[in-house]
Amino acid sequence: MLARNAESLYWIGRYVERADDTARILDVTVHQLLEDSSVDPDQASRTLLRVLDMAAPDATTALDVWSLTDMVAFSRDTHGGCSIVEAISAARENARGAREVTSTEIWECLNTTYNALPERERASRRLGPHEFLSYVEGRAAQFAGLADSTLSRDDGYRFMVLGRAIERVDMTVRLLLARVGDSASSPAWVTVLRSAGAHDTYLRTYRGVLDAGRVVEFMLLDRLFPRSVMYSLRLAEHSLDELHHRALNRVGATAEAQRLLGRARSELEFLPQGVLLETLEERLAGLQKTCADVGEALALEYFHSAPWVAWTDAGRNGSLIIEEGEV
């Protein structure tokens, strides 16, 4: 597979997941602001912007539901973060550049979604942000279904799944980082679960008992819930193992991305019981750094094309000389 196609598929997976997760998080926050008058809109908005790594206006500018929605959903100038519109646009551009390795159904899904954004934005300004956010969530689900049902399980599919898994780890970690320091009984933990689409599954798993320690444990360590950090790390590891096209190496991990993912998964998997909350902030920051480092390692291993080779005096005295740019 060409490096540019592999990179495009990887970023399609990341950008679609980012748009979906951002829409989920913003949808829950908007409902909270509209339904609970005790919540300070400005403070809640700034917390969300910090979670999404978006620059917030100075303290003299008060934020509310609509200004928050404009920044997180519709803005094309987010100063560091990535709005929903920007993420969908980037996914569509990557798909356009990799048409030969994506299915027609996937391209049509992303292209149709992109072209409908202006109309959906106008509708949301009349009917409320939920109109736009539910549309994005539905289209992301449709994309995931089409990818699973129309793509061969080849390297292209693995790169897309790898990108989706790494982005999911990063977004889940951001959600939890925003709640570090909250009391064990804070209603904000329900917001975390709802933002990740995990509320019902959590209640069934823990028989309705809401506790900060259990919420963190569920979102980080649960092996069965597809949006947990543990599940996503294992999925990313599996995808990377398949990309290497070889059985388990006798000397362990030989690639940097593989080593980073394995270390992060092992540190979570073999944690002593009861210590998760004690070092939560440090552990989440470490996971966030791991996501960034894995992205850089994958770029070096798969996406950066090798320098071209300049051959001179070919055949002179039966020898070949390679000039600068040797690979």
Side-chain angles (χ1 to χ4, degrees):
M1 170 172 284
L2 294 175
R4 64 174 177 82
N5 285 336
E7 186 172 19
S8 292
L9 289 166
Y10 170 79
W11 282 106
I12 289 171
R14 289 203 68 159
Y15 280 126
V16 172
E17 182 65 27
R18 189 174 302 178
D20 184 23
D21 289 346
T22 303
R24 288 171 178 272
I25 295 169
L26 179 58
D27 200 12
V28 171
T29 302
V30 166
H31 273 86
Q32 185 182 27
L33 293 177
L34 293 176
E35 295 172 0
D36 189 350
S37 59
S38 66
V39 177
D40 178 11
D42 184 67
Q43 182 179 352
S45 298
R46 292 181 186 277
T47 298
L48 177 57
L49 292 175
R50 187 169 65 253
V51 168
L52 299 175
D53 198 25
M54 294 183 180
D58 56 58
T60 60
T61 304
L63 296 173
D64 57 15
V65 168
W66 285 109
S67 57
L68 177 66
T69 302
D70 281 338
M71 293 181 65
V72 176
F74 308 130
S75 175
R76 293 183 179 272
D77 185 21
T78 47
H79 300 293
C82 183
S83 72
I84 295 171
V85 168
E86 286 178 316
I88 293 173
S89 300
R92 185 243 190 189
E93 285 304 306
N94 277 283
R96 187 172 66 169
R99 287 286 288 110
E100 65 268 31
V101 291
T102 57
S103 65
T104 300
E105 290 84 357
I106 282 180
W107 162 248
E108 288 179 349
C109 175
L110 290 174
N111 192 45
T112 302
T113 304
Y114 171 81
N115 288 326
L117 290 179
E119 179 186 348
R120 293 290 174 169
E121 180 180 346
R122 290 192 294 270
S124 75
R125 295 188 185 280
R126 296 194 312 271
L127 305 173
H130 180 70
E131 167 70 22
F132 178 83
L133 300 175
S134 61
Y135 171 74
V136 172
E137 292 172 36
R139 297 300 290 186
Q142 181 177 345
F143 171 87
L146 288 171
D148 285 343
S149 60
T150 64
L151 291 181
S152 297
R153 279 8 182 209
D154 55 10
D155 284 355
Y157 178 81
R158 295 180 186 118
F159 275 114
M160 186 179 292
V161 171
L162 180 60
R164 181 172 63 191
I166 292 172
E167 187 67 29
R168 190 167 284 181
V169 171
D170 185 54
M171 294 298 284
T172 301
V173 166
R174 289 177 186 276
L175 263 178
L176 293 173
L177 269 173
R179 302 274 68 93
V180 169
D182 285 2
S183 66
S185 58
S186 170
W189 294 109
V190 177
T191 303
V192 169
L193 293 171
R194 286 179 174 163
S195 297
H199 188 241
D200 292 339
T201 306
Y202 171 87
L203 293 179
R204 284 193 294 270
T205 302
Y206 290 102
R207 302 294 188 269
V209 178
L210 183 65
D211 173 76
R214 290 182 173 180
V215 171
V216 172
E217 179 182 78
F218 183 77
M219 295 304 300
L220 283 180
L221 303 180
D222 194 272
R223 294 166 178 259
L224 302 180
F225 182 63
R227 290 187 177 273
S228 77
V229 169
M230 176 63 74
Y231 187 99
S232 299
L233 285 173
R234 288 161 66 97
L235 179 60
E237 265 195 292
H238 177 70
S239 299
L240 200 53
D241 287 342
E242 290 188 328
L243 284 170
H244 287 154
H245 294 298
R246 58 174 177 264
L248 293 175
N249 196 295
R250 293 181 66 175
V251 295
T254 56
E256 180 66 6
Q258 189 181 27
R259 184 187 68 81
L260 290 167
L261 287 171
R263 185 182 67 183
R265 189 257 310 153
S266 297
E267 288 177 354
L268 286 179
E269 197 163 22
F270 301 107
L271 270 177
Q273 232 177 354
V275 303
L276 194 55
L277 286 179
E278 295 176 8
T279 58
L280 181 59
E281 187 171 7
E282 179 184 346
R283 195 168 300 282
L284 292 174
L287 284 168
Q288 199 169 34
K289 185 178 185 304
T290 295
C291 289
D293 291 344
V294 168
E296 292 178 4
L298 289 172
L300 289 173
E301 185 177 359
Y302 290 109
F303 306 148
H304 290 175
S305 38
W308 60 280
V309 179
W311 300 91
T312 61
D313 296 329
R316 187 180 66 181
N317 297 326
S319 63
L320 296 175
I321 302 173
I322 305 178
E323 293 187 338
E324 289 187 2
E326 182 177 358
V327 292

Coordinates of all heavy atoms in Angstrom, one line a residue, residues 123-201:
A123 N -30.4 24.8 10.2 CA -31.5 24.1 10.9 C -31.2 24.1 12.4 O -32.2 24.4 13.2 CB -31.7 22.7 10.5
S124 N -30.0 23.9 12.8 CA -29.7 23.9 14.3 C -29.9 25.3 14.9 O -30.2 25.4 16.1 CB -28.3 23.4 14.5 OG -27.3 24.4 14.2
R125 N -29.7 26.4 14.1 CA -29.9 27.7 14.7 C -31.3 28.0 14.9 O -31.7 28.9 15.7 CB -29.2 28.7 13.8 CG -27.7 28.6 13.7 CD -27.0 29.7 12.9 NE -25.6 29.5 12.8 CZ -24.7 29.7 13.7 NH1 -25.0 30.1 14.9 NH2 -23.4 29.4 13.5
R126 N -32.2 27.3 14.2 CA -33.6 27.5 14.4 C -34.2 26.5 15.4 O -35.0 26.9 16.2 CB -34.4 27.2 13.0 CG -34.1 28.1 11.9 CD -35.2 28.0 10.8 NE -35.4 26.6 10.5 CZ -34.7 25.9 9.5 NH1 -33.7 26.5 8.9 NH2 -35.0 24.6 9.3
L127 N -33.7 25.3 15.4 CA -34.3 24.3 16.3 C -33.4 23.9 17.5 O -33.9 23.1 18.3 CB -34.5 23.0 15.4 CG -35.4 23.2 14.2 CD1 -35.4 21.9 13.3 CD2 -36.8 23.6 14.5
G128 N -32.2 24.4 17.6 CA -31.3 24.0 18.7 C -30.1 23.2 18.2 O -30.2 22.5 17.2
P129 N -29.1 23.2 19.0 CA -27.8 22.5 18.6 C -28.0 21.0 18.5 O -27.3 20.3 17.7 CB -26.9 22.8 19.8 CG -27.4 24.0 20.4 CD -28.9 24.0 20.3
H130 N -29.0 20.4 19.2 CA -29.2 18.9 19.2 C -29.4 18.4 17.7 O -29.1 17.3 17.4 CB -30.3 18.5 20.1 CG -30.5 17.0 20.1 ND1 -29.6 16.1 20.7 CD2 -31.5 16.3 19.6 CE1 -30.1 14.9 20.5 NE2 -31.3 15.0 19.9
E131 N -30.1 19.3 16.9 CA -30.4 18.9 15.5 C -29.1 18.6 14.8 O -29.0 17.6 14.1 CB -31.2 20.1 14.9 CG -31.3 20.0 13.4 CD -32.2 18.9 12.9 OE1 -33.0 18.5 13.7 OE2 -32.1 18.4 11.8
F132 N -28.1 19.4 14.9 CA -26.9 19.3 14.2 C -26.1 18.1 14.8 O -25.5 17.3 14.1 CB -26.1 20.6 14.3 CG -24.7 20.5 13.6 CD1 -24.6 20.6 12.2 CD2 -23.6 20.2 14.4 CE1 -23.3 20.6 11.6 CE2 -22.3 20.1 13.8 CZ -22.2 20.3 12.4
L133 N -26.0 18.1 16.1 CA -25.2 17.1 16.8 C -25.7 15.7 16.6 O -24.9 14.7 16.4 CB -25.1 17.4 18.3 CG -24.5 18.8 18.6 CD1 -24.5 19.1 20.1 CD2 -23.0 18.9 18.1
S134 N -27.0 15.5 16.7 CA -27.5 14.1 16.4 C -27.3 13.7 15.0 O -27.1 12.5 14.7 CB -29.0 14.1 16.8 OG -29.7 15.0 15.9
Y135 N -27.3 14.6 14.1 CA -27.0 14.3 12.7 C -25.6 13.8 12.5 O -25.3 12.8 11.9 CB -27.2 15.6 11.8 CG -26.7 15.4 10.4 CD1 -27.4 14.6 9.5 CD2 -25.5 16.0 9.9 CE1 -27.0 14.5 8.2 CE2 -25.1 15.9 8.7 CZ -25.8 15.1 7.8 OH -25.4 14.9 6.5
V136 N -24.6 14.5 13.2 CA -23.2 14.1 13.1 C -23.0 12.7 13.7 O -22.3 11.8 13.2 CB -22.3 15.1 13.8 CG1 -20.9 14.6 13.9 CG2 -22.3 16.4 13.0
E137 N -23.6 12.5 14.9 CA -23.5 11.2 15.5 C -24.1 10.1 14.6 O -23.5 9.0 14.5 CB -24.3 11.2 16.9 CG -23.6 12.1 17.9 CD -24.5 12.2 19.2 OE1 -25.1 11.2 19.5 OE2 -24.5 13.3 19.8
G138 N -25.2 10.3 14.0 CA -25.8 9.3 13.1 C -25.0 9.0 11.9 O -24.8 7.9 11.5
R139 N -24.4 10.1 11.3 CA -23.6 9.9 10.1 C -22.3 9.1 10.5 O -21.8 8.3 9.7 CB -23.3 11.2 9.5 CG -24.5 12.0 9.0 CD -25.2 11.2 7.9 NE -24.5 11.1 6.7 CZ -25.0 10.6 5.5 NH1 -26.2 10.0 5.5 NH2 -24.2 10.5 4.5
A140 N -21.7 9.4 11.7 CA -20.5 8.7 12.1 C -20.8 7.2 12.3 O -20.0 6.4 12.0 CB -20.0 9.3 13.4
A141 N -22.0 6.9 12.9 CA -22.4 5.5 13.0 C -22.6 4.9 11.7 O -22.2 3.7 11.5 CB -23.7 5.4 13.8
Q142 N -23.2 5.6 10.7 CA -23.3 5.0 9.4 C -22.0 4.8 8.7 O -21.8 3.8 8.1 CB -24.2 6.0 8.5 CG -24.4 5.5 7.1 CD -25.3 6.4 6.3 OE1 -25.9 7.3 6.8 NE2 -25.3 6.2 5.0
F143 N -21.1 5.7 8.9 CA -19.7 5.5 8.4 C -19.1 4.3 8.9 O -18.5 3.5 8.2 CB -18.8 6.7 8.7 CG -17.4 6.5 8.3 CD1 -16.9 6.8 7.1 CD2 -16.5 6.1 9.3 CE1 -15.6 6.6 6.7 CE2 -15.2 5.9 9.0 CZ -14.7 6.1 7.7
A144 N -19.2 4.1 10.2 CA -18.6 2.9 10.9 C -19.2 1.6 10.3 O -18.5 0.6 10.1 CB -18.7 3.0 12.4
G145 N -20.5 1.6 10.2 CA -21.2 0.5 9.6 C -20.8 0.2 8.2 O -20.5 -1.0 7.8
L146 N -20.6 1.2 7.4 CA -20.2 1.0 6.0 C -18.8 0.5 5.9 O -18.4 -0.3 5.1 CB -20.4 2.3 5.2 CG -21.8 2.8 4.9 CD1 -21.8 4.2 4.3 CD2 -22.5 1.8 3.9
A147 N -17.9 1.1 6.8 CA -16.5 0.6 6.8 C -16.5 -0.9 7.1 O -15.7 -1.6 6.5 CB -15.7 1.4 7.8
D148 N -17.2 -1.3 8.1 CA -17.2 -2.7 8.5 C -17.8 -3.6 7.5 O -17.4 -4.8 7.4 CB -18.0 -2.9 9.8 CG -17.2 -2.3 11.0 OD1 -16.0 -2.1 10.9 OD2 -17.8 -2.1 12.1
S149 N -18.7 -3.1 6.7 CA -19.4 -4.0 5.8 C -19.0 -3.9 4.3 O -19.3 -4.8 3.5 CB -21.0 -3.7 5.8 OG -21.2 -2.4 5.4
T150 N -18.2 -2.9 4.0 CA -17.8 -2.8 2.6 C -16.2 -2.8 2.3 O -15.8 -2.8 1.2 CB -18.3 -1.4 2.0 OG1 -17.6 -0.3 2.7 CG2 -19.8 -1.3 2.1
L151 N -15.4 -2.8 3.4 CA -14.0 -2.9 3.2 C -13.4 -4.2 3.5 O -13.8 -4.9 4.5 CB -13.3 -1.9 4.2 CG -13.5 -0.4 3.9 CD1 -12.7 0.5 4.9 CD2 -13.1 0.0 2.5
S152 N -12.5 -4.7 2.6 CA -11.8 -5.9 2.9 C -10.9 -5.7 4.2 O -10.5 -4.7 4.5 CB -10.9 -6.3 1.7 OG -11.7 -6.5 0.6
R153 N -10.7 -6.8 4.9 CA -9.9 -6.8 6.1 C -8.4 -6.8 5.7 O -7.7 -7.7 6.0 CB -10.2 -7.9 7.0 CG -11.4 -7.8 7.9 CD -12.3 -6.6 7.7 NE -13.4 -6.5 8.6 CZ -14.6 -6.0 8.3 NH1 -14.7 -5.4 7.1 NH2 -15.5 -5.9 9.2
D154 N -8.0 -5.8 4.9 CA -6.6 -5.7 4.5 C -5.9 -4.6 5.3 O -6.4 -4.1 6.3 CB -6.5 -5.5 3.0 CG -7.3 -4.2 2.6 OD1 -7.8 -3.5 3.5 OD2 -7.5 -4.0 1.4
D155 N -4.7 -4.2 4.8 CA -4.0 -3.2 5.5 C -4.7 -1.9 5.6 O -4.6 -1.1 6.6 CB -2.6 -3.0 4.9 CG -1.6 -4.1 5.2 OD1 -2.0 -5.0 6.0 OD2 -0.5 -4.1 4.6
G156 N -5.4 -1.5 4.6 CA -6.2 -0.2 4.6 C -7.2 -0.2 5.7 O -7.3 0.8 6.4
Y157 N -7.9 -1.3 5.9 CA -8.9 -1.3 6.9 C -8.2 -1.3 8.3 O -8.7 -0.6 9.2 CB -9.7 -2.6 6.8 CG -10.7 -2.9 7.9 CD1 -11.9 -2.2 7.9 CD2 -10.4 -3.7 9.0 CE1 -12.9 -2.4 8.9 CE2 -11.4 -3.9 10.0 CZ -12.6 -3.2 9.9 OH -13.5 -3.4 10.9
R158 N -7.1 -1.9 8.4 CA -6.3 -1.9 9.7 C -5.8 -0.5 10.1 O -5.9 -0.1 11.2 CB -5.2 -2.9 9.6 CG -5.6 -4.4 9.5 CD -4.5 -5.3 9.4 NE -5.0 -6.7 9.1 CZ -4.6 -7.4 8.0 NH1 -3.8 -6.8 7.1 NH2 -5.1 -8.6 7.9
F159 N -5.4 0.2 9.1 CA -4.9 1.6 9.4 C -6.1 2.4 9.8 O -6.0 3.3 10.7 CB -4.3 2.2 8.1 CG -2.8 1.9 8.0 CD1 -2.4 1.1 6.9 CD2 -1.9 2.4 8.9 CE1 -1.0 0.8 6.8 CE2 -0.6 2.1 8.8 CZ -0.1 1.3 7.7
M160 N -7.3 2.3 9.2 CA -8.5 3.0 9.6 C -8.9 2.7 11.0 O -9.1 3.6 11.9 CB -9.6 2.8 8.6 CG -10.8 3.7 8.9 SD -12.2 3.3 7.7 CE -11.4 3.9 6.2
V161 N -8.9 1.4 11.4 CA -9.3 1.0 12.7 C -8.2 1.5 13.7 O -8.6 1.9 14.8 CB -9.4 -0.6 12.8 CG1 -9.6 -1.0 14.2 CG2 -10.6 -1.0 11.9
L162 N -7.0 1.4 13.3 CA -5.9 1.9 14.2 C -6.1 3.4 14.6 O -6.0 3.8 15.7 CB -4.5 1.7 13.5 CG -3.3 2.1 14.3 CD1 -3.2 1.3 15.6 CD2 -2.0 1.8 13.5
G163 N -6.4 4.2 13.6 CA -6.6 5.6 13.8 C -7.8 5.8 14.7 O -7.7 6.7 15.6
R164 N -8.9 5.1 14.5 CA -10.1 5.3 15.3 C -9.8 4.9 16.7 O -10.2 5.6 17.7 CB -11.2 4.4 14.7 CG -12.5 4.5 15.5 CD -13.6 3.7 14.7 NE -13.3 2.3 14.6 CZ -14.0 1.5 13.9 NH1 -15.0 1.9 13.1 NH2 -13.7 0.2 13.8
A165 N -9.0 3.8 17.0 CA -8.8 3.3 18.3 C -7.9 4.3 19.1 O -8.2 4.6 20.2 CB -8.1 2.0 18.3
I166 N -6.9 4.9 18.4 CA -6.0 5.8 19.1 C -6.7 7.1 19.4 O -6.6 7.7 20.5 CB -4.8 6.1 18.2 CG1 -3.9 4.9 18.2 CG2 -3.9 7.3 18.8 CD1 -2.8 4.9 17.2
E167 N -7.6 7.6 18.5 CA -8.4 8.8 18.8 C -9.3 8.6 19.9 O -9.6 9.5 20.7 CB -9.1 9.2 17.5 CG -9.8 10.5 17.6 CD -8.9 11.7 17.7 OE1 -7.8 11.6 17.2 OE2 -9.3 12.7 18.4
R168 N -9.9 7.4 20.0 CA -10.9 7.1 21.1 C -10.2 7.1 22.4 O -10.7 7.6 23.4 CB -11.5 5.7 20.8 CG -12.7 5.4 21.7 CD -13.5 4.2 21.1 NE -14.3 4.6 20.0 CZ -15.1 3.7 19.3 NH1 -15.1 2.5 19.7 NH2 -15.8 4.1 18.3
V169 N -9.0 6.6 22.5 CA -8.2 6.6 23.7 C -8.0 8.1 24.1 O -8.2 8.5 25.3 CB -6.8 5.9 23.6 CG1 -6.0 6.2 24.8 CG2 -7.0 4.4 23.4
D170 N -7.6 8.9 23.2 CA -7.2 10.3 23.5 C -8.5 11.0 24.0 O -8.4 11.8 25.0 CB -6.7 11.0 22.2 CG -6.2 12.4 22.5 OD1 -5.4 12.6 23.4 OD2 -6.7 13.3 21.8
M171 N -9.6 10.8 23.3 CA -10.8 11.6 23.7 C -11.4 11.1 25.1 O -11.8 11.9 25.9 CB -11.9 11.4 22.6 CG -11.6 12.0 21.3 SD -11.3 13.8 21.4 CE -13.0 14.4 21.5
T172 N -11.3 9.8 25.4 CA -11.7 9.3 26.7 C -10.8 9.9 27.8 O -11.3 10.3 28.8 CB -11.7 7.8 26.7 OG1 -12.6 7.3 25.6 CG2 -12.2 7.2 28.0
V173 N -9.5 9.9 27.5 CA -8.6 10.5 28.5 C -8.9 11.9 28.7 O -8.9 12.4 29.9 CB -7.2 10.3 28.0 CG1 -6.2 11.1 28.8 CG2 -6.8 8.8 28.1
R174 N -9.2 12.7 27.7 CA -9.6 14.1 27.9 C -10.8 14.3 28.7 O -10.9 15.2 29.6 CB -9.8 14.8 26.5 CG -8.5 14.9 25.7 CD -8.9 15.5 24.3 NE -7.7 15.6 23.4 CZ -6.8 16.6 23.4 NH1 -7.0 17.6 24.3 NH2 -5.8 16.5 22.6
L175 N -11.8 13.4 28.5 CA -13.0 13.5 29.3 C -12.7 13.3 30.8 O -13.2 14.1 31.7 CB -14.0 12.4 28.9 CG -15.1 12.8 27.9 CD1 -15.9 11.5 27.6 CD2 -16.0 13.8 28.5
L176 N -11.9 12.3 31.1 CA -11.6 12.0 32.5 C -10.7 13.1 33.1 O -10.8 13.4 34.3 CB -10.9 10.7 32.6 CG -11.8 9.5 32.3 CD1 -11.0 8.2 32.2 CD2 -12.9 9.3 33.3
L177 N -9.8 13.7 32.3 CA -8.9 14.7 32.9 C -9.7 15.9 33.3 O -9.3 16.6 34.3 CB -7.9 15.1 31.8 CG -6.5 14.4 31.7 CD1 -5.8 14.9 30.5 CD2 -5.7 14.7 33.0
A178 N -10.8 16.2 32.7 CA -11.6 17.4 33.0 C -12.3 17.2 34.4 O -12.7 18.1 35.0 CB -12.7 17.6 32.0
R179 N -12.4 15.9 34.9 CA -13.1 15.6 36.1 C -12.1 15.3 37.3 O -12.6 15.0 38.3 CB -14.0 14.5 35.9 CG -15.1 14.7 34.8 CD -16.3 15.4 35.3 NE -16.1 16.8 35.7 CZ -16.3 17.8 34.9 NH1 -16.7 17.6 33.7 NH2 -16.2 19.0 35.4
V180 N -10.8 15.4 37.0 CA -9.9 15.1 38.1 C -10.1 16.2 39.2 O -10.2 17.4 39.0 CB -8.4 15.2 37.6 CG1 -7.4 15.2 38.7 CG2 -8.1 14.0 36.7
G181 N -10.2 15.7 40.4 CA -10.4 16.6 41.6 C -11.9 16.8 42.0 O -12.2 17.3 43.0
D182 N -12.8 16.3 41.1 CA -14.2 16.4 41.5 C -14.5 15.4 42.6 O -13.8 14.3 42.7 CB -15.1 16.0 40.3 CG -15.2 17.2 39.3 OD1 -14.5 18.2 39.6 OD2 -15.9 17.0 38.3
S183 N -15.5 15.7 43.4 CA -15.9 14.8 44.5 C -16.4 13.5 44.0 O -16.9 13.4 42.9 CB -16.9 15.4 45.4 OG -18.1 15.6 44.7
A184 N -16.4 12.4 44.8 CA -16.8 11.1 44.4 C -18.3 11.1 44.0 O -18.7 10.3 43.2 CB -16.5 10.1 45.5
S185 N -19.1 12.0 44.6 CA -20.5 12.0 44.4 C -21.0 13.1 43.4 O -22.2 13.3 43.3 CB -21.3 12.2 45.7 OG -20.9 13.4 46.4
S186 N -20.0 13.7 42.8 CA -20.4 14.8 41.9 C -21.2 14.3 40.7 O -20.9 13.3 40.1 CB -19.1 15.5 41.3 OG -19.4 16.4 40.3
P187 N -22.2 15.1 40.3 CA -23.0 14.7 39.1 C -22.3 14.7 37.8 O -22.7 14.2 36.8 CB -24.2 15.7 39.1 CG -23.7 16.8 39.9 CD -22.8 16.3 41.0
A188 N -21.1 15.4 37.9 CA -20.2 15.5 36.7 C -19.8 14.1 36.2 O -19.5 13.9 35.0 CB -19.0 16.3 36.9
W189 N -19.8 13.1 37.1 CA -19.4 11.7 36.6 C -20.4 11.1 35.7 O -20.1 10.3 34.8 CB -19.1 10.8 37.8 CG -17.9 11.3 38.6 CD1 -17.9 11.9 39.8 CD2 -16.5 11.3 38.2 NE1 -16.6 12.2 40.2 CE2 -15.7 11.8 39.2 CE3 -15.9 10.8 37.0 CZ2 -14.4 11.9 39.1 CZ3 -14.5 10.9 37.0 CH2 -13.8 11.4 38.0
V190 N -21.7 11.5 36.0 CA -22.8 11.0 35.1 C -22.6 11.7 33.7 O -22.8 11.0 32.6 CB -24.2 11.4 35.6 CG1 -25.3 11.0 34.7 CG2 -24.4 10.8 37.0
T191 N -22.1 12.9 33.7 CA -21.8 13.6 32.4 C -20.8 12.9 31.6 O -20.8 12.7 30.4 CB -21.4 15.1 32.7 OG1 -22.4 15.7 33.4 CG2 -21.1 15.8 31.3
V192 N -19.7 12.4 32.3 CA -18.7 11.6 31.7 C -19.2 10.4 31.0 O -18.9 10.1 29.8 CB -17.6 11.3 32.7 CG1 -16.6 10.3 32.1 CG2 -16.8 12.5 33.2
L193 N -20.0 9.7 31.7 CA -20.6 8.4 31.2 C -21.5 8.7 30.0 O -21.4 8.0 29.0 CB -21.4 7.7 32.3 CG -20.6 7.1 33.4 CD1 -21.5 6.6 34.5 CD2 -19.7 6.0 32.9
R194 N -22.3 9.7 30.1 CA -23.2 10.0 29.0 C -22.5 10.5 27.8 O -22.9 10.2 26.6 CB -24.3 11.1 29.4 CG -25.3 10.5 30.4 CD -26.3 11.5 30.8 NE -27.4 10.9 31.6 CZ -28.2 11.5 32.4 NH1 -28.1 12.9 32.6 NH2 -29.2 10.9 33.1
S195 N -21.4 11.3 28.0 CA -20.6 11.8 26.9 C -20.0 10.7 26.1 O -19.8 10.8 24.9 CB -19.5 12.7 27.4 OG -20.1 13.9 28.0
A196 N -19.7 9.6 26.8 CA -19.0 8.4 26.1 C -20.0 7.4 25.7 O -19.7 6.3 25.2 CB -18.0 7.8 27.0
G197 N -21.3 7.7 25.8 CA -22.4 6.7 25.5 C -22.3 5.5 26.4 O -22.7 4.3 26.0
A198 N -21.8 5.6 27.6 CA -21.5 4.5 28.5 C -22.5 4.4 29.7 O -22.4 3.5 30.5 CB -20.1 4.6 29.0
H199 N -23.5 5.3 29.8 CA -24.3 5.4 31.0 C -25.1 4.1 31.2 O -25.0 3.6 32.3 CB -25.2 6.6 30.9 CG -25.9 6.9 32.2 ND1 -27.3 6.9 32.3 CD2 -25.5 7.2 33.4 CE1 -27.7 7.2 33.5 NE2 -26.6 7.4 34.2
D200 N -25.8 3.7 30.2 CA -26.6 2.5 30.4 C -25.8 1.3 30.7 O -26.1 0.4 31.6 CB -27.5 2.3 29.2 CG -28.6 3.4 29.0 OD1 -28.9 4.0 30.0 OD2 -29.1 3.5 27.9
T201 N -24.7 1.1 30.0 CA -23.8 -0.1 30.1 C -23.2 -0.1 31.5 O -23.1 -1.1 32.2 CB -22.7 -0.1 29.1 OG1 -23.3 0.0 27.8 CG2 -21.9 -1.4 29.1

